[in-house]
């Protein structure tokens, strides 16, 4: 699996003028005693996150095993967008948490260039590195440095509720977009809103993924090497626009965030959705009937394009502040190896449904049926390429939702949508 990246000019300029405040308490080195090293870990894997229970358990077990020498303290940050903003601000001002969840996008990868993050490249050359899925360490390597450990990966197939499809008289998921629009009409006739969409949040996540699927279908596996002026990006915008028209999505999609998009699918209001495997635990616990009828598949074939592609990417890495203290560095390495040990990865994957960058064996345990569908979707993909957000800087990713909002409100045509993206990259 390859994870192409597009890096644009803007990056760390927002650091200028920032007030140097401690945004994470882990930025202040604290040891409980002379012999105990305390590692603060501000993390998003808390609260309702499907990985939260097992992460908490793994940290507790690590602390028990290293009692008196190493202690990891979780600092809950359940707001994903807020976490990312706080983290970017903290690192840009030179304040790096002891351990943190690294978002592998072009903006954060530029922090590799400084001297703030710990480099794991030598540590991963041994048996530890052999436990990772092929290609994932390469994807986390920049200029021969591995300053973040690949951890969670994902594909984001199309989700659909077969029970709602059955109610509308649709036997299977459409293979082409012509069939897709016909299926939307049947769903609407049955009183069901076809798709979940959103223009809000920091990246218009659900619609950004739809756009990425359409772009991949039109442009193939190397589509992100094309300039945004290529016709495929405007054609994809026109298809995405249609998803907001004629009742094909909910009225609150404009300005809606992930809670709106996901909430409608969980409530059975919409029949089609997109998200990654980390959402399996959420739908299983909060909407068991929807979970029972959910299937995943590839996007419909675009006119003149290819079929069967999936959008996949490194979802989150683990990273740490650089330290010149060898004992403290050893403590960080010890915790990183614990969190990426195949037996522990298996526990968290089986518990949450998420997919990870470390290989593990599945025995006679029952694999979650929906997680199994994700594995099959990845295995059956004609190709896997990354999403829009993974190929642009954070500020360009944020511009996507703004441009999409203008387009669906009739203030911009698909070409103007693309022009706004191009302008943001310049």
């Amino acid at each position: 699996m390859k994870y192409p990246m597009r890096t644009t000019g803007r990056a760390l300029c927002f650091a200028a003028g920032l007030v140097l405040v401690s945004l994470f308490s882990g930025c202040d080195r604290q040891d409980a005693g002379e012999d105990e090293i305390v590692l603060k870990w501000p993390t998003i894997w808390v609260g309702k996150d499907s990985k939260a229970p097992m992460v908490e358990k793994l940290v507790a077990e690590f602390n028990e095993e290293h009692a008196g020498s190493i202690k990891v303290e979780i600092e809950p940050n359940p707001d994903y967008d807020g976490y990312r903003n706080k983290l970017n601000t903290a690192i840009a001002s030179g304040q790096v948490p002891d351990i943190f969840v690294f978002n592998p996008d072009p903006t954060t990868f530029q922090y590799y260039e400084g001297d703030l993050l710990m480099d794991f490249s030598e540590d991963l050359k041994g048996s530890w590195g052999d436990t990772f899925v092929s290609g994932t360490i390469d994807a986390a390597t920049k200029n021969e440095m591995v300053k973040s450990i690949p951890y969670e990966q994902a594909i984001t197939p199309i989700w659909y509720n077969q029970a709602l499809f059955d109610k509308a008289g649709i036997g299977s998921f459409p293979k082409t977009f012509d069939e897709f629009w016909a299926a939307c009409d049947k769903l609407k006739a049955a009183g069901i809103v076809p798709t979940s969409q959103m223009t809000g949040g920091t990246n218009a996540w659900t619609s950004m993924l739809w756009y990425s699927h359409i772009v991949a279908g039109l442009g193939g596996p190397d589509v992100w090497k094309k300039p945004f002026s290529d016709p495929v990006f405007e054609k994809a915008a026109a298809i995405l626009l249609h998803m907001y028209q004629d009742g094909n999505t909910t009225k609150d999609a404009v300005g809606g965030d992930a809670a709106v998009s996901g909430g409608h699918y969980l409530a059975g209001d919409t029949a089609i959705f997109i998200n990654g495997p980390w959402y399996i635990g959420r739908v299983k616990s909060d909407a068991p009937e929807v979970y029972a009828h959910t299937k995943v598949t590839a996007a419909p074939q675009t006119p003149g394009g290819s079929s069967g592609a999936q959008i996949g990417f490194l979802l989150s890495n683990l990273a740490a502040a650089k330290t010149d203290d060898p004992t403290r560095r050893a403590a960080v390495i010890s915790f990183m190896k614990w969190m990426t040990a195949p037996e522990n990865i298996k526990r968290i994957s089986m518990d949450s449904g998420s997919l990870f960058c470390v290989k593990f064996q599945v025995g006679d345990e029952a694999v979650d049926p929906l997680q199994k569908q994700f594995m099959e979707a990845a295995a059956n993909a004609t190709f896997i390429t990354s999403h829009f957000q993974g190929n642009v800087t954070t500020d360009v990713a944020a511009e996507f939702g703004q441009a999409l909002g203008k387009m669906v409100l009739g203030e911009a045509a698909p070409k103007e949508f693309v022009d706004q993206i191009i302008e943001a990259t310049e």
Side-chain angles (χ1 to χ4, degrees), residues 4 24 36 98 102 111 114 136 184 186 233-234 238 254 261 264 275 284 325 383 424-425:
F24 294 109
E36 184 179 62
D98 293 330
F102 180 100
Y111 294 123
T136 55
C184 288
K186 289 184 177 179
F233 295 100
E234 182 179 338
V254 179
S261 174
H264 282 305
N275 214 338
K284 191 174 184 178
D325 180 345
F383 65 88
T425 64

XYZ file of all heavy atoms in Angstrom, residues 4 24 36 98 102 111 114 136 184 186 233-234 238 254 261 264 275 284 325 383 424-425:
180
model
N 0.751 8.352 -1.149
C 1.344 9.513 -1.775
C 1.029 10.782 -1.009
O -0.006 10.913 -0.375
C 0.692 9.530 -3.166
C -0.614 8.825 -2.969
C -0.342 7.781 -1.924
N -0.391 21.514 26.724
C -0.512 20.181 27.281
C 0.391 20.131 28.498
O 1.542 20.528 28.432
C -0.059 19.117 26.280
C -0.929 19.018 25.059
C -0.461 19.453 23.836
C -2.208 18.500 25.141
C -1.252 19.350 22.702
C -3.001 18.394 24.012
C -2.525 18.830 22.795
N 11.356 7.412 39.355
C 10.202 7.150 38.505
C 10.085 8.210 37.417
O 10.079 9.409 37.716
C 8.911 7.115 39.323
C 7.697 6.748 38.465
C 6.415 6.682 39.273
O 6.038 7.731 39.825
O 5.819 5.598 39.358
N 5.130 14.612 25.971
C 6.010 13.447 26.127
C 5.682 12.399 25.071
O 6.558 11.848 24.412
C 5.815 12.828 27.516
C 6.297 13.753 28.622
O 7.234 14.535 28.383
O 5.715 13.702 29.724
N 0.053 11.342 16.639
C 0.553 12.144 15.515
C -0.369 11.958 14.330
O -0.625 10.826 13.903
C 1.975 11.662 15.189
C 2.668 12.366 14.057
C 3.601 13.376 14.306
C 2.436 11.988 12.739
C 4.271 13.993 13.271
C 3.102 12.616 11.690
C 4.022 13.616 11.958
N 6.995 18.721 10.830
C 7.672 18.809 12.128
C 8.863 17.854 12.215
O 9.666 17.958 13.132
C 6.684 18.543 13.263
C 5.618 19.597 13.376
C 4.274 19.266 13.301
C 5.965 20.946 13.533
C 3.288 20.240 13.383
C 4.986 21.917 13.620
C 3.644 21.559 13.544
O 2.672 22.520 13.617
N 12.438 19.691 12.162
C 13.067 20.323 13.313
C 13.762 19.318 14.208
O 14.022 18.175 13.812
N 4.155 0.409 5.844
C 3.688 1.418 6.804
C 4.855 2.220 7.408
O 4.717 3.418 7.639
C 2.866 0.776 7.938
O 3.629 -0.258 8.569
C 1.583 0.183 7.395
N -31.083 6.192 -5.431
C -31.433 7.340 -4.582
C -32.904 7.691 -4.752
O -33.603 8.012 -3.779
C -30.545 8.540 -4.925
S -28.828 8.382 -4.377
N -35.332 5.715 -5.588
C -36.156 4.693 -4.922
C -36.165 4.904 -3.403
O -37.184 4.742 -2.736
C -35.624 3.295 -5.250
C -35.876 2.859 -6.691
C -35.405 1.424 -6.909
C -35.723 0.951 -8.321
N -35.256 -0.448 -8.564
N -10.885 16.649 -11.285
C -11.277 17.265 -10.013
C -12.572 18.074 -10.159
O -13.387 18.116 -9.241
C -10.125 18.131 -9.479
C -8.905 17.313 -9.135
C -7.824 17.237 -10.004
C -8.859 16.582 -7.963
C -6.710 16.457 -9.700
C -7.756 15.792 -7.641
C -6.680 15.733 -8.517
N -12.744 18.700 -11.312
C -13.999 19.427 -11.547
C -15.147 18.446 -11.778
O -16.266 18.657 -11.275
C -13.850 20.360 -12.746
C -15.103 21.179 -13.033
C -14.925 22.136 -14.218
O -13.766 22.473 -14.550
O -15.961 22.520 -14.808
N -18.679 18.031 -9.560
C -20.052 18.054 -10.100
C -20.862 16.866 -9.562
O -22.049 17.003 -9.239
C -20.008 18.024 -11.628
N -25.446 21.050 5.171
C -24.697 22.302 4.980
C -24.397 22.888 6.359
O -25.308 23.262 7.106
C -25.486 23.305 4.129
C -24.685 24.609 3.985
C -25.789 22.720 2.765
N -23.544 14.060 10.377
C -23.448 13.042 9.341
C -23.588 11.643 9.930
O -24.403 10.833 9.478
C -22.090 13.181 8.626
O -21.898 12.137 7.710
N -27.185 10.826 11.657
C -28.295 10.440 10.777
C -28.188 8.977 10.373
O -29.204 8.277 10.263
C -28.306 11.327 9.528
C -28.901 12.690 9.777
N -30.157 12.856 10.297
C -28.397 13.947 9.583
C -30.422 14.160 10.414
N -29.363 14.836 9.999
N -17.215 5.980 6.464
C -16.308 6.203 7.587
C -15.350 5.020 7.660
O -15.437 4.087 6.866
C -17.074 6.364 8.893
C -16.376 7.364 9.821
O -15.169 7.608 9.687
N -17.102 7.931 10.755
N -21.939 -0.284 16.635
C -22.313 -1.530 17.317
C -22.954 -1.258 18.674
O -23.929 -1.909 19.060
C -21.073 -2.408 17.484
C -21.347 -3.820 17.932
C -20.042 -4.623 17.916
C -20.288 -6.090 18.263
N -19.020 -6.862 18.202
N 18.046 12.628 27.542
C 18.185 11.762 28.712
C 17.998 10.308 28.264
O 16.893 9.914 27.881
C 17.118 12.144 29.749
C 17.184 11.287 31.001
O 17.840 10.227 30.978
O 16.568 11.678 32.011
N -7.384 -1.030 -6.373
C -6.226 -0.280 -5.900
C -6.663 0.543 -4.697
O -7.861 0.764 -4.486
C -5.621 0.624 -6.989
C -6.507 1.738 -7.464
C -6.518 2.970 -6.819
C -7.320 1.568 -8.573
C -7.329 4.005 -7.259
C -8.135 2.598 -9.037
C -8.144 3.825 -8.370
N -6.006 28.139 -2.601
C -5.534 27.851 -1.241
C -4.171 27.182 -1.235
O -3.422 27.283 -0.253
C -6.547 26.962 -0.521
N -3.842 26.476 -2.310
C -2.551 25.782 -2.361
C -1.420 26.710 -2.767
O -0.249 26.334 -2.635
C -2.585 24.606 -3.367
O -2.789 25.117 -4.678
C -3.683 23.616 -3.013
